């Protein structure tokens, strides 16, 4: 059975966690394929909010298996905190959580290196979540990393010590001096490693292959967004993994011809956290309203998110790169009350009108060209059926479907599991 994918199409924070949670009832296995605790997937049900960083968003369903794939990087300390929270809610994660032996481990010194690297960049900083993501993926591609499977080897501590002492000399190399107490960090790390070791480690590509053969349904859960992809995002202001569909193949060991539906999640407007270009960014009342009504603060770092109009040029690009088959529009409810809405349908690129994402979308090269729409004033948050959606919203949706040539099958009208409208 083919593996379905669920991905963010913008700069992250589209609401992937909520939709995975909603769709989990249709799947036997939910598998995270990239990223790490830089992600913050928010789920709301029964009046309670849950934020997951590394653990797949199917964990609250009794019947689903949740797999952390080889493409993910795991910080044992943050992972342990997530597990503790699940335990507080009587979630029996031991029976439903599997970890790939090939997933890489974020060491305390990876986090320190991230901090030193960012601090030394000054104005050019990426705006990283400082979770050690970049340095861990650098060690992975540099063939120095420590993997979950190494924890089963007799000499893993020696490997850890060798890599850590290399990191310490690298931290010294940076101009920015970072204060740290390695002994304290290591105590916490070692405790967390013991907890990690109590979980089930598997050869995940074999597990996924066999599950497919047994006709088990699998949903691959992406983290971050397509515009943060290391290859196709707004480099260098990106994360360090492939957040796009191809990342699911490498991050789980699924062959490209085994991919089924690709669910693309986007917000009815755009947000970005951290540095980097953002052509439709708003610095006025409209942007402030989106931020306030949409509670646009990072789920991992609490940083305010930058807000702007929907960028259809960028969205189309993300649909192309991922081969999206179904779209899911989030946070339409946040736009209720805007008299006029704008969608960027082309760019003015160095004086020329273009409809594709060019190499460089920095402010000095690109300005957005907008198409305007009538807004709607109705409160969407209590609606539960597509027939209730206001005409102006339906026009907005129809326009996007026509431009993107992909159906919008879910319209989310609030953070709760229940605030989900299925179309078609
Ligand atoms: P890093 O992956 O933590 O190094 O961060 C690199 C860039 O990606 C920064 O601009 C972050 O703000 C952004 N980023 C990383 N993870 C997320 C996410 O889950 N949502 C939104 N932005 C993210």
């Amino acid at each position: 059975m083919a593996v379905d994918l669920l991905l963010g199409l913008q700069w992250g924070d589209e609401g992937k966690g909520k939709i995975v949670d909603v769709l989990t009832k249709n799947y036997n296995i939910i598998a995270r394929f990239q990223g790490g605790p830089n992600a913050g997937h928010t789920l709301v049900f029964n009046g309670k909010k849950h934020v997951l960083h590394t653990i797949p968003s199917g964990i609250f369903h009794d019947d689903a298996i949740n797999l952390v794939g080889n493409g993910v990087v795991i910080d044992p300390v943050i992972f342990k905190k997530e597990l503790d929270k699940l335990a507080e809610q009587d979630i029996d994660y031991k029976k439903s959580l599997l970890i790939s032996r090939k997933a890489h481990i974020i060491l305390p010194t990876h986090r320190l290196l991230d901090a030193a690297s960012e601090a030394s960049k000054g104005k050019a900083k990426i705006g990283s979540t400082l979770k050690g993501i970049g340095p861990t993926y650098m060690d992975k591609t540099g063939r120095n990393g420590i993997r979950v499977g190494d924890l089963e080897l007799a000499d893993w501590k020696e490997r850890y010590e060798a890599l850590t002492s290399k990191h310490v000399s690298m931290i010294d190399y940076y101009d920015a001096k970072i204060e740290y107490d390695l002994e304290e960090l290591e105590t916490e790390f070692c405790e967390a490693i013991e907890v990690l070791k109590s979980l089930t480690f598997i050869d995940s590509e074999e597990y996924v292959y066999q599950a497919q053969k047994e006709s088990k349904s699998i949903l691959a859960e992406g983290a971050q967004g397509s515009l943060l992809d290391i290859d196709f995002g707004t480099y260098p202001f990106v994360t360090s993994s492939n957040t796009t569909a191809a990342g699911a193949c490498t991050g789980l060991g699924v062959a490209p011809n085994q991919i089924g539906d690709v669910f693309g999640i986007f917000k009815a407007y755009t947000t970005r956290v951290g540095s980097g270009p953002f052509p439709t960014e708003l610095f006025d009342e409209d942007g402030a309203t989106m931020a306030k009504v949409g509670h646009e603060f990072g789920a991992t770092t609490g940083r305010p998110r930058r807000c702007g109009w929907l960028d259809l040029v960028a969205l189309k690009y993300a649909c192309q790169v991922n081969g999206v088959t179904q779209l899911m529009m989030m946070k339409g409810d946040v736009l209720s009350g805007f008299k006029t809405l704008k969608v960027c349908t082309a760019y003015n690129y160095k004086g020329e009108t273009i409809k594709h994402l060019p190499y460089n979308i920095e402010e000095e090269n690109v300005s957005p060209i907008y198409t305007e729409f009538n807004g709607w004033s109705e409160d969407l948050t209590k609606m539960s059926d597509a027939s209730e959606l206001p005409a102006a919203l339906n026009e907005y949706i129809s326009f996007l479907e026509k431009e993107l040539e992909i159906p919008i099958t879910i319209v989310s009208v609030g953070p709760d599991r229940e605030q989900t409208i299925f179309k078609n």
Side-chain angles (χ1 to χ4, degrees):
M1 197 164 176
V3 174
D4 293 339
L5 308 185
L6 185 140
L7 310 149
L9 299 179
Q10 295 159 316
W11 279 290
D13 310 314
E14 296 90 354
K16 297 172 288 291
K18 168 182 165 161
I19 297 297
V20 173
D21 174 55
V22 167
L23 296 180
T24 297
K25 59 181 184 311
N26 306 330
Y27 292 92
N28 301 120
I29 300 167
I30 308 298
R32 265 282 298 267
F33 61 85
Q34 46 70 232
N38 48 349
H41 291 177
T42 305
L43 291 70
V44 180
F45 53 88
N46 302 336
K48 217 170 159 206
K49 179 170 150 181
H50 310 263
V51 182
L52 296 168
H53 299 287
T54 326
I55 294 174
S57 301
I59 197 72
F60 295 101
H61 293 254
D62 281 344
D63 303 333
I65 293 293
N66 289 267
L67 168 65
V68 179
N70 58 278
V72 176
V73 289
I74 300 174
D75 182 330
V77 176
I78 296 178
F79 204 75
K80 178 179 175 297
K81 285 185 187 152
E82 286 188 72
L83 295 176
D84 289 345
K85 285 219 170 107
L86 292 177
E88 278 167 25
Q89 292 159 71
D90 295 326
I91 306 288
D92 186 5
Y93 57 78
K94 280 206 177 167
K95 77 171 184 7
S96 59
L97 190 56
L98 305 174
I99 320 281
S100 171
R101 286 197 173 88
K102 293 196 172 81
H104 280 246
I105 297 181
I106 302 176
L107 308 187
T109 42
H110 281 132
R111 264 184 276 137
L112 299 173
L113 278 169
D114 215 358
S117 161
E118 274 287 82
S120 71
K121 283 195 164 123
K123 277 195 179 147
K125 72 171 193 274
I126 308 293
S128 165
T129 59
L130 303 179
K131 302 292 177 198
I133 305 296
T136 307
Y137 279 115
M138 278 166 71
D139 269 339
K140 174 178 178 173
T141 52
R143 296 157 293 176
N144 299 311
I146 294 185
R147 301 189 289 177
V148 166
D150 294 341
L151 301 177
E152 296 170 323
L153 305 178
D155 69 341
W156 92 263
K157 278 223 160 122
E158 282 103 87
R159 292 171 188 234
Y160 165 83
E161 270 153 26
L163 189 54
T164 295
S165 76
K166 181 176 158 200
H167 288 164
V168 168
S169 48
M170 285 165 74
I171 293 165
D172 288 343
Y173 154 85
Y174 286 103
D175 295 337
K177 292 294 160 235
I178 302 289
E179 301 281 325
Y180 61 93
D181 179 342
L182 190 54
E183 219 177 283
E184 197 181 312
L185 292 171
E186 285 186 331
T187 306
E188 184 185 40
F189 179 75
C190 290
E191 272 172 33
I193 285 286
E194 289 313 310
V195 174
L196 189 62
K197 279 166 83 176
S198 71
L199 299 176
T200 308
F201 300 162
I202 59 165
D203 297 332
S204 55
E205 60 279 26
E206 175 64 15
Y207 177 86
V208 169
Y209 178 73
Q210 292 301 341
Q212 280 187 266
K213 273 182 80 171
E214 290 161 21
S215 296
K216 297 240 171 81
S217 50
I218 305 174
L219 179 65
E221 175 182 10
Q224 291 80 49
S226 301
L227 302 175
L228 289 172
D229 183 278
I230 183 76
D231 284 285
F232 299 108
T234 47
Y235 192 90
F237 301 101
V238 293
T239 191
S240 300
S241 62
N242 281 115
T243 58
T244 47
C249 295
T250 57
L252 288 172
V254 175
N257 64 354
Q258 295 300 307
I259 300 297
D261 256 319
V262 180
F263 305 125
I265 316 286
F266 70 103
K267 275 182 196 170
Y269 50 100
T270 310
T271 63
R272 173 162 208 173
V273 61
S275 327
F278 181 176
T280 61
E281 183 169 11
L282 291 168
F283 300 95
D284 59 7
E285 268 305 299
D286 286 339
T289 304
M290 288 171 191
K292 186 163 168 255
V293 180
H295 307 290
E296 295 296 356
F297 293 92
T300 298
T301 58
R303 291 179 292 174
R305 296 180 187 139
R306 302 152 66 191
C307 296
W309 296 118
L310 186 64
D311 185 340
L312 203 56
V313 178
L315 192 57
K316 206 177 256 181
Y317 169 81
C319 288
Q320 270 168 230
V321 170
N322 290 306
V324 172
T325 60
Q326 291 186 40
L327 287 161
M328 292 159 185
M329 189 175 93
M330 314 300 287
K331 288 196 154 181
D333 52 295
V334 173
L335 295 184
S336 288
F338 279 88
K339 258 202 148 101
T340 306
L341 302 174
K342 291 183 184 176
V343 172
C344 167
T345 43
Y347 290 151
N348 180 331
Y349 179 70
K350 299 181 180 175
E352 194 193 328
T353 300
I354 61 165
K355 287 197 137 198
H356 71 277
L357 202 76
Y359 179 70
N360 190 332
I361 60 162
E362 299 293 340
E363 211 179 329
E364 57 272 25
N365 296 313
V366 159
S367 58
I369 299 172
Y370 289 112
T371 301
E372 294 199 359
F373 293 84
N374 290 328
W376 54 88
S377 55
E378 292 86 342
D379 174 10
L380 310 183
T381 58
K382 306 274 180 318
M383 296 182 181
S384 57
D385 192 90
S387 62
E388 296 171 80
L389 297 176
L393 172 57
N394 281 329
E395 267 169 47
Y396 191 76
I397 290 173
S398 299
F399 177 79
L400 301 181
E401 287 181 322
K402 194 162 152 261
E403 287 290 310
L404 298 167
E405 300 177 78
I406 303 166
I408 295 178
T409 54
I410 285 183
V411 178
S412 171
V413 291
D416 197 281
R417 223 185 234 175
E418 303 300 323
Q419 293 170 300
T420 308
I421 296 181
F422 293 85
K423 277 179 79 259
N424 308 326

